[in-house]
Amino acid sequence: MALLGGKVVALAGGVGGAKLALGFARLLPPERLTIVVNTGDDETFHGLHVSPDLDTMLYTLAGISNGETGWGIAGETFHALGMLGRYGADTWFNLGDRDLATHIRRTQRLSEGASLSEVTSELCRSLGIEHPIVPMSDQQVRTYLKTGDGDLAMQEYFVGRRSEPVVNCVEYRGVAESSPSGGFARSLDGAEMIVLCPSNPLLSTGPILSLPGIRERLSEKNPGRCRIAVSPIIGGEAVKGPAAKIMSELGHEASCLGVAKMYGDICDLFLMDEVDRDRAPAVAELGIEPVVAPILMHTEEDKIALAKLILELGGSFLNGG
């Protein structure tokens, strides 16, 4: 199969999104790939603007990420955090010493009037990243989870409370008053493929798709564009994070089929793992073409292989194959 020859837009968040984005970056030149990253997880810690999903993407593409955790910087130390603890600061959110430099620089540039998009571009250049990484919005959108223990910001729920409270509702606060970043909006013009990376559909891609006008643009039928999603759920379990737990608590089926239903209006092809082969007919009944393949990414070779398969599928789809 021939690879897709046009521009690709990857919508991503979390470790799974970063893994697939790295695969695409190994195969595509910078002018053919734009990586749009969730910022609903952004939070202020110790007076600093922290963008966890953006930073995971930056560190992954820069080749400095912690391979064991998928987030943070390899070989990180935590001396500053330890000292903050001695001063009585709340240190439940781990921020490494080199990681802190990223947040200090971001906060400084934002205070000087730079947009989050501008700051992200500057950080990319400093880290030697050539492929464009853009935040979903330059306005503040914050993901909150309504639970039996009250309303919890995403990081408080995920890190501080270890995803334990039962979730009753997910809110993207500020999304109605926000807009897609310029880089995001421009990337959709002429894109031949939109990829929904294997990211949490409620906490990672959810905020991106909730931006005004985005879901409507992606739901438009376009013979010159392929929309493909990769399931973050394999065998009824999330590869990483609380996606399956939250989906179940909110009344969604915690499976690849449940994810496919959430993407039904914006998806042409749906990649699901071989262990979920029996769910393929049900996905097809949604009007989505199921593709069964190995989608779990452990090594860099796995990431490249999955990205290559997606590009082949997109090329075949657009050529009537």
Side-chain angles (χ1 to χ4, degrees), residues 83-105:
M83 199 66 185
L84 281 166
R86 288 186 64 181
Y87 288 139
D90 200 341
T91 58
W92 56 266
F93 192 85
N94 275 346
L95 296 172
D97 297 325
R98 286 186 289 170
D99 188 35
L100 276 168
T102 303
H103 313 317
I104 291 170
R105 182 58 176 166

Side-chain angles (χ1 to χ4, degrees), residues 14 38-39 44 69 75 99 103 126 129 136 148 163 201 207 214 223 231 242 250 252 276 284 295 308 312 321:
N38 167 51
T39 57
T44 300
T69 62
D99 188 35
H103 313 317
S126 296
I129 300 170
M136 67 181 200
S163 305
I214 291 300
S231 178
L250 294 181
H252 301 282
D276 292 313
I295 63 173
K308 182 180 179 183
E312 289 175 341

Side-chain angles (χ1 to χ4, degrees), residues 231-239 255-256 272-276 295-296:
S231 178
I233 306 289
I234 296 178
E237 298 290 338
V239 176
S255 70
C256 62
M272 50 201 292
D273 196 77
E274 293 168 322
V275 302
D276 292 313
I295 63 173
L296 195 59

Side-chain angles (χ1 to χ4, degrees), residues 38-43 50 52-53 141-143 154-155 203-204 207:
N38 167 51
T39 57
D41 294 5
D42 286 19
E43 191 58 87
V50 179
D53 281 359
V141 178
R142 295 294 178 264
T143 300
M154 167 56 192
Q155 296 304 330
L203 304 185
S204 295

